[in-house]
Amino acid sequence: MSGDTEEGDRRTVRAALDRAHRREWGAVLAATVRIAGDLDLAEECVQEAYASALTSWTRRGVPHSPGAWLTTTARRKALDAHRRTATLQNKLPLLVESAEETAVNPGDSDAPAVLDDLLRLVFICCHPALGEEASVALTLRLVCGLTTAEIACAFLVPEPTVAARITRAKKKIATARIAYRIPATAELPDRLDAVLTVVHLVFTSGHAAPGTELLRGDLVERALGLGQSLRTLMPDEPEVAGLLGLMLLTDSRRKARCAVSGRAVLLEDQDRSLWDAEAIAHGLRLVEAALRTRRLGRFAAQAAIAACHARAASFAETDWEAVIGWYTVLDRVWPSPVVSLNRAVAVGMRDGPDVALAQVSALEADGRLVGYRYLPATKADLFRRLGRIDEAMAAYRQALALTDNQTEREFLLGRLDLLSQVDLLARMDQGVRLDRGVDPEIGS
Amino acid sequence: MLLVYDDGTPVDFEAGQHHSRSWDQTPSLAQAHRRLAENAVKLGGGLVTAEALEAPEMATTLRTDVVTDGPAVDTVDNVVALYVVDAPDLDRALDLARWCPLSGAGSVEVRPVRSTRT
């Protein structure tokens, strides 16, 4: 065998291993947890399995089903670990139900069982008793196979903070006896909502920061991957379809959201030819599937709003009537003053900024949105469109004082700058019009 | 361990309201208590301890050998009752917590009892 082919083989193995890491980590770990009875031990065994795959696959070639090979290897390692030591008694055991099922069967790749284990892993990572930050970190680590360093980097948090969150979460799972189980039908809606919230949080963390950071884009990919897995695992849950649809439709605008300068581009100003038509088509199919069930939840309603934007050939052709209708639905299934604020913006697009301003002022008066930066930002935009420049500038400054996100600060400063120029012009010529719209996406 | 916290509004144990959505009607606190006990038994464990406490103003606190009047932590919500139940996992314990008698806006803290196993 020449050196060249050896090098080529090594590259093939590396690529297969990377693919297996991306796609199968969670499933391999989920199946190993059952034998290990402990999350830490399971993680160690899966890491070792991936390490031994490198040597074994280089020598004997990439197996037909890499995932099954890795699962079998990791489970054997867990069994060996149990045989070798009595550590199980010292470790905090994980609550794995029905011990008789855990008899290891090498080469066992019973598909439904594997899927069920993956679902158990997702539900244990996203148990509401863990708190959202811990759930996000634990899901990325255990289900997606990200390292602590990668998670820390993606969320701009110090690595020891992430490590501590994960350690504490694992300890709580064992100490508080959180079961490795798919929730019963009665508890499913609440538990599923917690899972979807975590996946959505991973998505928005990646999506909210437009621009250059690759790892942030990776978060979007991970969230989409999780959404797709959940869709496969729970094909009948409308909220799962709704969340995946919402993420696909939002992400379809990725290329159009960011100007060459790195600045965010408002929905209104986006070049719609840059939208990803394939993602939109997929997203729209999911929204329709979710709506057909007539069991509407918050993610399906949000996806329906995103679908209205995706269907419009231009900003001017947006069906604001439908957008407002879906915001009304959203406000009913998931009441929130933020939803009311977004609805007011859509009303402004249909009925004019003065109508919207009245609604926004009413919202401001009820006090629940104090300190919420999109409220003054929305008001500022409405004032601007009404030509009330002094009030607009005051509101922009108010929003600026509440914002520490750099991209948003630049946007607000840009608007202020523009207004002060317009103000000057307007003093010279009363005919200047200020009729540019508010970003209906803002704050969503 | 289920620690029941409440704001100390005096309630009639037989007529009190219960706000958990486990209920389809609003039973008395006494009924809630009985259902909790029954469900604990159904889980195979049962009720180990169940005690309702007198008002926090009746508490006496000992801190570094100084005795003072009142509860140790001065908060709106105080522990008003405690249950020790035998539940196989957190979800089952939370199911029981949903039946804890509460007068109104109170809450239930579910805390594992430290294992004496070494």
Side-chain angles (χ1 to χ4, degrees), chain A residues 246 249-250 252-253 266-273 275 280 284 287 301-324 326-327 342-343 345-347 349 438-442 444:
Chain A
L246 173 65
L249 292 172
T250 311
S252 72
R253 307 196 282 260
L266 299 186
L267 184 61
E268 179 185 357
D269 302 325
Q270 288 175 10
D271 174 359
R272 297 191 174 209
S273 69
W275 288 4
I280 290 177
L284 290 177
V287 174
Q302 280 173 274
I305 294 165
C308 293
H309 293 302
R311 283 198 196 98
S314 69
F315 189 73
E317 288 165 73
T318 309
D319 183 354
W320 293 111
E321 197 65 52
V323 173
I324 294 164
W326 284 118
Y327 270 122
N342 281 289
R343 189 179 178 279
V345 172
V347 167
M349 296 311 299
V438 192
D439 185 8
E441 245 194 328
I442 224 159
S444 66

Side-chain angles (χ1 to χ4, degrees), chain A residues 29 33 36-44 92 94 121 124 138 142 170 173 180:
Chain A
L29 181 70
V33 165
D38 173 278
L39 287 171
D40 281 325
L41 177 61
E43 260 192 301
E44 267 168 47
L92 287 163
L94 183 75
L121 186 64
I124 206 167
L138 208 57
L142 299 183
K170 283 178 178 167
I173 286 174
Y180 193 56

Side-chain angles (χ1 to χ4, degrees), chain A residues 428-440:
Chain A
M428 296 188 290
D429 167 18
Q430 293 295 319
V432 173
R433 287 190 55 220
L434 295 151
D435 56 356
R436 287 164 48 82
V438 192
D439 185 8

Side-chain angles (χ1 to χ4, degrees), chain A residues 77-195:
Chain A
K77 285 183 193 292
L79 269 185
D80 288 349
H82 282 334
R83 289 199 192 104
R84 246 190 343 261
T85 60
T87 48
L88 191 63
Q89 276 129 36
N90 304 328
K91 289 199 168 201
L92 287 163
L94 183 75
L95 211 62
V96 179
E97 288 185 322
S98 52
E100 68 273 15
E101 277 177 36
T102 61
V104 74
N105 176 9
D108 154 32
S109 57
D110 187 21
V114 169
L115 291 181
D116 278 358
D117 271 343
L118 186 57
L119 206 49
R120 284 187 186 95
L121 186 64
V122 172
F123 274 113
I124 206 167
C125 288
C126 301
H127 198 287
L130 295 178
E132 270 170 22
E133 282 178 338
S135 286
V136 166
L138 208 57
T139 304
L140 287 173
R141 166 90 166 257
L142 299 183
V143 184
C144 302
L146 258 59
T147 63
T148 307
E150 285 170 332
I151 299 167
C153 193
F155 286 95
L156 310 171
V157 205
E159 198 178 326
T161 310
V162 176
R165 265 178 211 162
I166 290 174
T167 308
R168 192 199 151 272
K170 283 178 178 167
K171 187 171 179 217
K172 176 145 191 202
I173 286 174
T175 311
R177 301 175 67 83
I178 300 178
Y180 193 56
R181 176 177 58 214
I182 298 168
T185 322
E187 39 184 8
L188 191 65
D190 282 352
R191 295 289 309 277
L192 183 59
D193 193 66
V195 171

